[in-house]
């Protein structure tokens, strides 16, 4: 953190004739200010200056019925630079601590109708320009019953300071902080416009105007669409220092992507995040966070990966502002959240809220004409592809009849008539071996996609025009589900369902990065820590058929006791010729 923020209230006691300038439970502020500073003392002093508080140059007046020993060292610091005046009842304490001072009479110590020395000096404003009156909160309630004639001297000390526009401090904590901060030279206090704190603090670029980016290095997130191409070309023409970043998740061909941007004269960096999204997919598999439509919400997972990993790469390349090329407002709002969460030192530029860009490219036809004018091929929309990665594909079309053919999953009519057998080894709820080959999460998804896809497993179409392809995740999820059935007792199973439901609900609304969701994921990892074993399955024309369990670490029944030994498992689950009816129960 490079800067500290402070919000301070504004008060208008000078406009309230006769009001005691102390705070109670009533709403007394008439506004507030907000400032940033490099440290606690600077931000405190800057906030006081913004409240029209004048730093004392001449002297100060101190008054308190019960001045604590804790306060005297702080007042000694002020006494080294200012002449101290006080009343008779406070003078004894100051003398005890060796603080030089001059005693003045105050209201209540002189005959009625006679002005005290304090009143005369407050009006003259020559001997002191700060009043510290540390009030006794136990007696505050008595002031509400006082009249002008019966009000104590403390009230008049405070009220006269306000009436003659002399800075007043009444709270001990404020006095202490002021004594610590007052030594800062006013000329050294950093006074800058709000926008100058980029990248020191998170904020949106003022008015989302790209002209404000001339001093910054801009990292532009791009995909192979017209929005990205138009924005990359336009920002380059504006003379900005732009670098394009593309997160490769393992879906579409990266060769075509690099060719699409090679004529832009803008640096393009492709960041390989396949392993990172595979790790995220394994968390979803462990959590069994698939909804009733067989949707894993991979699109929302990808934005979690962008926020956590792509922004980190941008920061390592010294980018100070992040620009996101999509026109979708929900996506932009979510992206701002990720920047604030993971890289708060970076600024955010929402390009498609820039009034100039909106005026120049009000329609898609304007974008296509602009690209053709510069000899760049425009992208024709129509496939409905929303997300593509090593985890799977997501499509969204207005009509289910316009959905394209599945890419990862074969139609059932094209699948082989012969069943295929798969052995999955899980350790700690994670697949570590497929058919005798040790695998990483990325390799596991790639192999599982191939195995399940060619057997018609893992593709779902909905009436709303959505299609979800995630064959590998579906296969691994089913295998893990068979294993947890014999490893979780009833309390663990109930607890797992609670966490699983929470993760599923939160990723559906784009809250996978939130602390409460990640806490649920961490709890699921703990529950899965002892879930290990080998699951043997049969894949046949869209079906995943359970065959056998072996090497189970801890097999429990729903009542919490051991159900079978390893030898008994071998006897119970006997593989036959691959059909479901041959499994002996």
């Amino acid at each position: 953190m490079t800067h500290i923020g402070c919000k301070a209230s504004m008060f208008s006691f000078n406009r309230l004739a006769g009001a005691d300038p102390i705070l109670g439970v009533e709403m007394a502020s008439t506004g507030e200010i907000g400032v940033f500073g490099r440290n606690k003392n600077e931000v405190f002093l800057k906030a006081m200056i913004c409240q029209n508080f004048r730093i004392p140059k001449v002297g100060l007046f101190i008054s308190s019925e019960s001045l604590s020993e804790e306060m005297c060292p702080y007042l000694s610091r002020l006494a080294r630079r200012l002449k101290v005046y006080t009343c008779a009842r406070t003078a004894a304490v100051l003398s005890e601590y060796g603080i030089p001072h001059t005693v003045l009479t105050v209201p209540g110590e002189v005959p009625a109708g006679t002005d005290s020395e304090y009143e005369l000096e407050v009006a003259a404003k020559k001997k002191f320009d700060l009043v510290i009156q540390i009030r006794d909160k136990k007696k505050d309630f008595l002031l509400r019953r006082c009249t002008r004639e019966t009000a104590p001297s403390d009230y008049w000390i405070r009220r006269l300071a306000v009436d003659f526009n002399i800075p007043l401090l009444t709270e001990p904590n404020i006095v202490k902080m002021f004594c610590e901060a007052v030594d800062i030279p006013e000329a050294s206090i950093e006074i800058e416009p709000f926008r100058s704190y980029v990248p020191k603090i998170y904020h949106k670029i003022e008015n989302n105007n790209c002209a404000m980016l001339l001093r910054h290095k801009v990292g532009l997130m791009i995909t192979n669409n017209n929005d990205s191409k138009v924005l990359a070309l336009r920002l380059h023409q504006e003379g900005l220092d732009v670098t394009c970043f593309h997160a490769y998740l393992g879906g579409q061909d990266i060769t075509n992507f690099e060719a699409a941007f090679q004529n832009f004269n803008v640096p393009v960096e492709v960041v390989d995040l396949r392993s990172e999204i595979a790790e995220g997919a394994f968390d979803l598999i462990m959590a069994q966070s698939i909804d009733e439509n067989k949707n894993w919400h991979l699109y929302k997972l990808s934005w979690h990966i962008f926020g956590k990993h792509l922004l980190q790469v941008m920061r390592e390349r010294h980018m100070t502002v992040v620009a996101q090329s999509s026109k979708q407002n929900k996506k932009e709002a979510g992206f701002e959240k990720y920047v604030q969460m993971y890289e708060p030192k970076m600024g955010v530029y929402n390009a498609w809220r820039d009034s100039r860009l909106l005026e120049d490219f009000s329609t898609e036809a304007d974008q296509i004409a602009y690209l053709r004018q510069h000899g760049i091929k425009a992208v024709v929309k129509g496939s409905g592809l929303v997300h593509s990665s090593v985890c799977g594909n997501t499509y969204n079309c207005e009509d289910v009849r316009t959905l394209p053919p599945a890419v990862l999953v074969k139609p059932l009519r094209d699948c082989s008539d012969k069943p295929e057998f798969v052995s999955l080894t899980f350790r700690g709820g994670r697949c570590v071996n497929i058919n005798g080959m040790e695998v990483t999460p990325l390799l596991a998804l790639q192999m599982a996609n191939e195995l399940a896809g060619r057997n018609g497993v893992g593709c779902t179409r909905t009436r709303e025009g959505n299609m979800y392809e995630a064959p590998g995740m579906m296969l691994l999820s089913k295998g893990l589900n068979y294993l947890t059935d014999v490893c979780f007792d009833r309390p663990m199973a109930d607890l797992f369902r609670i966490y699983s439901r929470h993760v599923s609900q939160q990723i559906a609304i784009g809250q996978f990065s939130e602390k409460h969701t990640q806490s649920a994921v961490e709890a699921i990892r703990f529950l899965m820590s002892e879930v290990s074993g080998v699951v043997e399955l049969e894949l046949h024309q869209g079906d995943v058929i359970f065959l056998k369990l072996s090497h189970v670490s801890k097999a429990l029944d729903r009542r919490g006791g051991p159900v079978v030994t390893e030898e008994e498992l071998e006897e119970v689950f006997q593989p036959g010729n691959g059909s479901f009816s041959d499994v002996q129960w």
Side-chain angles (χ1 to χ4, degrees):
M1 181 182 296
T2 60
H3 281 68
I4 300 174
C6 176
K7 184 174 73 171
S9 300
M10 298 285 291
F11 300 96
S12 302
F13 288 113
N14 57 336
R15 299 183 182 181
L16 304 175
D20 193 358
I22 58 176
L23 299 182
V25 296
E26 301 89 352
M27 180 64 182
S29 65
T30 56
E32 59 187 15
I33 55 97
V35 296
F36 296 96
R38 291 167 291 189
N39 52 59
K40 179 184 72 173
N41 292 336
E42 182 184 72
V43 75
F44 174 80
L45 198 61
K46 187 188 293 188
M48 296 193 72
I49 293 173
C50 291
Q51 289 177 306
N52 298 322
F53 184 95
R54 296 187 305 277
I55 305 300
K57 306 294 184 183
V58 182
L60 73 149
F61 182 88
I62 303 173
S63 171
S64 176
E65 287 190 2
S66 56
L67 190 63
S68 65
E69 297 181 359
E70 182 184 1
M71 187 64 64
C72 290
Y74 293 93
L75 298 178
S76 297
R77 299 177 63 173
L78 287 180
R80 289 196 291 267
R81 57 181 294 158
L82 300 171
K83 189 172 182 179
V84 177
Y85 297 87
T86 186
C87 59
R89 65 175 183 270
T90 310
V93 180
L94 297 181
S95 299
E96 183 179 349
Y97 282 88
I99 300 176
H101 59 275
T102 301
V103 178
L104 302 178
T105 58
V106 296
E109 296 179 350
V110 296
T114 305
D115 291 335
S116 65
E117 294 175 324
Y118 173 80
E119 293 174 90
L120 296 174
E121 296 301 336
V122 165
K125 298 183 181 180
K126 292 182 178 180
K127 289 188 176 181
F128 53 85
D129 49 0
L130 172 65
V131 174
I132 297 177
Q133 203 290 308
I134 300 176
R135 62 193 179 102
D136 186 354
K137 296 184 179 180
K138 296 179 181 178
K139 297 183 179 180
D140 282 351
F141 73 96
L142 296 176
L143 294 174
R144 302 179 185 278
R145 296 169 174 81
C146 291
T147 63
R148 183 180 182 87
E149 292 73 19
T150 61
S153 60
D154 288 347
Y155 163 79
W156 289 111
I157 291 173
R158 295 190 292 263
R159 186 64 233 181
L160 288 171
V162 171
D163 288 340
F164 287 95
N165 199 25
I166 293 179
L168 171 68
L169 300 178
T170 62
E171 293 292 336
N173 292 334
I174 299 297
V175 174
K176 292 177 184 178
M177 293 188 67
F178 175 75
C179 294
E180 293 176 349
V182 73
D183 292 332
I184 299 177
E186 290 186 58
S188 67
I189 296 178
E190 183 184 63
I191 305 294
E192 297 288 345
F194 183 71
R195 63 178 178 271
S196 70
Y197 288 98
V198 176
K200 300 171 186 175
I201 57 171
Y202 163 82
H203 81 293
K204 303 175 189 177
I205 299 301
E206 184 177 341
N207 298 324
N208 288 305
N209 190 334
C210 63
M212 305 298 298
L213 304 175
L214 292 174
R215 296 189 302 154
H216 300 285
K217 298 187 68 175
V218 181
L220 174 63
M221 290 182 57
I222 58 173
T223 56
N224 190 13
N225 58 23
N226 293 336
D227 291 342
S228 296
K229 293 181 178 181
V230 168
L231 192 55
L233 187 58
R234 179 59 178 269
L235 294 183
H236 176 67
Q237 291 177 343
E238 293 281 347
L240 303 180
D241 186 0
V242 181
T243 302
C244 296
F245 292 85
H246 174 69
Y248 177 52
L249 302 179
Q252 297 176 316
D253 187 4
I254 197 64
T255 305
N256 296 334
F257 175 84
E258 293 176 338
F261 284 84
Q262 64 182 359
N263 297 326
F264 279 68
N265 297 321
V266 177
V268 177
E269 181 171 347
V270 177
V271 183
D272 190 349
L273 296 180
R274 291 178 297 172
S275 297
E276 286 75 8
I277 197 170
E279 289 285 350
F282 263 47
D283 287 338
L284 299 186
I285 292 171
M286 277 200 300
Q288 301 285 312
S289 58
I290 186 172
D291 65 16
E292 62 276 5
N293 292 324
K294 308 299 181 184
N295 182 10
W296 290 95
H297 298 284
L298 299 177
Y299 172 72
K300 305 293 178 60
L301 175 64
S302 67
W303 278 97
H304 166 73
I305 300 301
F306 294 161
K308 190 172 183 180
H309 299 285
L310 186 59
L311 289 178
Q312 180 181 355
V313 174
M314 288 186 179
R315 193 60 179 161
E316 291 172 355
R317 304 298 186 271
H318 306 291
M319 300 294 115
T320 57
V321 173
V322 181
Q324 195 264 326
S325 60
S326 173
K327 283 187 177 180
Q328 300 180 30
N329 291 330
K330 289 184 179 180
K331 185 187 295 185
E332 289 177 345
F335 186 69
E336 291 169 6
K337 175 190 69 176
Y338 290 116
V339 175
Q340 187 176 13
M341 181 181 300
Y342 292 112
E343 294 294 340
K345 296 181 180 180
M346 302 180 74
V348 178
Y349 169 60
N350 284 326
W352 296 111
R353 295 178 191 171
D354 189 330
S355 57
R356 294 193 301 164
L357 290 178
L358 291 175
E359 182 179 350
D360 294 343
F361 306 105
S362 57
T363 64
E364 186 177 356
D366 294 333
Q367 292 186 0
I368 295 175
Y370 176 74
L371 293 175
R372 289 177 177 174
Q373 180 183 353
H374 292 84
I376 298 172
K377 184 179 179 181
V379 178
V380 179
K381 298 181 180 180
S383 66
L385 182 64
V386 176
H387 169 84
S388 180
S389 70
V390 69
C391 305
N393 298 327
T394 301
Y395 298 86
N396 185 2
C397 297
E398 295 182 358
D399 190 343
V400 67
R401 292 171 294 183
T402 62
L403 284 171
V407 176
L408 300 177
V409 181
K410 280 187 176 182
L412 296 182
R413 62 178 179 273
D414 297 335
C415 295
S416 173
D417 293 335
K418 296 181 180 180
E420 185 170 1
F421 302 97
V422 180
S423 173
L424 305 176
T425 302
F426 291 89
R427 188 177 301 121
R430 297 166 64 89
C431 182
V432 297
N433 187 294
I434 298 179
N435 291 339
M437 178 183 294
E438 297 293 326
V439 292
T440 62
L442 175 58
L443 182 57
L445 283 177
Q446 291 172 334
M447 292 182 63
N449 281 337
E450 178 66 24
L451 290 168
R454 65 179 177 230
N455 288 282
V457 175
C459 182
T460 304
R461 292 176 174 84
T462 68
R463 295 179 179 178
E464 293 78 15
N466 299 318
M467 182 170 71
Y468 309 113
E469 283 189 286
M473 293 183 68
M474 189 68 69
L475 174 60
L476 298 178
S477 174
K478 285 184 176 291
L480 181 60
N481 191 36
Y482 290 129
L483 190 59
T484 55
D485 279 345
V486 298
C487 290
F488 283 174
D489 59 14
R490 185 179 298 276
M492 289 180 66
D494 292 341
L495 187 60
F496 173 78
R497 279 192 290 270
I498 293 174
Y499 288 131
S500 175
R501 188 182 307 113
H502 182 76
V503 174
S504 179
Q505 291 172 348
Q506 296 307 308
I507 193 173
I509 60 176
Q511 300 290 322
F512 189 67
S513 298
E514 298 296 330
K515 289 184 178 180
H516 53 84
T517 309
Q518 290 300 308
S519 298
V521 172
E522 192 62 35
I524 290 173
R525 292 195 188 108
F526 181 78
L527 292 176
M528 289 284 185
S529 59
E530 295 184 352
V531 176
S532 301
V534 179
V535 184
E536 297 186 19
L537 304 171
E538 174 191 332
L539 307 181
H540 186 232
Q541 293 189 340
D543 293 326
V544 179
I545 303 170
F546 172 79
L547 295 180
K548 180 182 178 182
L549 279 177
S550 61
H551 302 91
V552 180
S553 58
K554 287 187 177 181
L556 302 173
D557 66 5
R558 296 294 183 181
R559 296 165 296 180
V563 59
V564 287
T565 63
E566 182 67 30
E567 292 76 13
E568 291 171 330
L569 274 173
E570 293 289 344
E571 295 176 0
V572 172
F573 300 109
Q574 294 289 340
N577 60 8
S579 65
F580 185 81
S581 60
D582 287 327
V583 178
Q584 298 180 13
W585 297 94

